[in-house]
Amino acid sequence: MQDAFTDPTLFPPDAKLYFGPITVSTTKDAALASVPVAIGSAATTWIFTLRESGETHLISLWEMNDATATSDTKSVIVVGKIIDSHSLEPASDVTVEAWQSSERDSRAGSDNYWRIPNWVNPRVRTRDDGTFFLTLHDHPRLQTHQYYIVFAAHEREYAHQGMYVTMDRVAHGQIIDVGLVALRRSEFSY
């Protein structure tokens, strides 16, 4: 992993990315690697989580920009597979994004509603087989303790669909398997 971050061919030379040393720690059921990153004049920390689920190894990445978020708060991994509802084929390269919920079970948006410093919406893309896994962290300033997971948040060809994940109703380290998500293309929306 350290070699990957020091390989200058992996990142564009004009990106002005600088990586600090990798720190590795373990919990009861996961390995965590944190990497300080300087992007231009901004600094952040990338956290990689490696977790084993049966015979499957799950690795995810999330950004920790706010020092108050490093406390021992709850984190979960949301996994699933997205298929096209019309063809039933795996939907690859689809965005899965977590939005802050401003009111429990009723309102959410892609904006930084709770004004968390340096907030970046947790976001992943589905793999070729349509699978995804997204790590969510119960940020101390997220007063509703709830995210709205949006499937195809930035895809024009897919209708937006989603689901709530309520962090105070799940166990730390829990893997939430949403199973198959049949994503409607916009032209087939009803």
Side-chain angles (χ1 to χ4, degrees), residues 9-44:
T9 64
L10 292 180
F11 304 96
D14 58 348
K16 298 183 180 176
L17 290 172
Y18 304 96
F19 299 98
I22 296 175
T23 304
V24 178
S25 61
T26 57
T27 64
K28 182 179 176 183
D29 58 351
L32 305 172
S34 63
V35 183
V37 182
I39 305 170
S41 61
T44 186

Side-chain angles (χ1 to χ4, degrees), residues 8-181:
T9 64
L10 292 180
F11 304 96
D14 58 348
K16 298 183 180 176
L17 290 172
Y18 304 96
F19 299 98
I22 296 175
T23 304
V24 178
S25 61
T26 57
T27 64
K28 182 179 176 183
D29 58 351
L32 305 172
S34 63
V35 183
V37 182
I39 305 170
S41 61
T44 186
T45 300
W46 291 355
I47 308 290
F48 294 87
T49 307
L50 177 64
R51 197 174 304 270
E52 197 171 29
S53 174
E55 295 182 11
T56 304
H57 289 84
L58 305 172
I59 188 166
S60 57
L61 166 66
W62 44 285
E63 252 182 289
M64 186 68 70
N65 295 315
D66 184 7
T68 63
T70 60
S71 60
D72 285 339
T73 54
K74 196 179 295 181
S75 64
V76 298
I77 297 177
V78 181
V79 299
K81 180 175 183 175
I82 297 180
I83 61 172
D84 183 289
S85 65
H86 182 68
S87 68
L88 302 182
E89 293 294 321
S92 63
D93 206 32
V94 170
T95 300
V96 178
E97 183 172 296
W99 291 353
Q100 295 178 18
S101 182
S102 57
E103 293 178 26
R104 280 179 77 127
D105 301 322
S106 64
R107 291 183 50 137
S110 59
D111 60 330
N112 185 4
Y113 181 83
W114 294 109
R115 294 182 175 81
I116 299 171
N118 302 311
W119 176 257
V120 176
N121 287 341
R123 177 184 308 126
V124 295
R125 306 282 284 180
T126 57
R127 296 185 276 193
D128 290 341
D129 63 356
T131 59
F132 69 90
F133 51 96
L134 174 69
T135 299
L136 297 180
H137 179 73
D138 192 11
H139 196 286
R141 294 191 187 186
L142 186 65
Q143 293 180 22
T144 56
H145 301 285
Q146 189 174 62
Y147 289 101
Y148 185 68
I149 308 300
V150 181
F151 305 110
H154 302 292
E155 299 293 330
R156 293 176 188 242
E157 65 178 310
Y158 285 102
H160 292 193
Q161 293 171 231
M163 60 172 282
Y164 290 99
V165 173
T166 307
M167 298 298 288
D168 55 7
R169 294 183 185 159
V170 296
H172 176 67
Q174 182 176 343
I175 296 174
I176 302 169
D177 188 347
V178 299
L180 283 178
V181 177

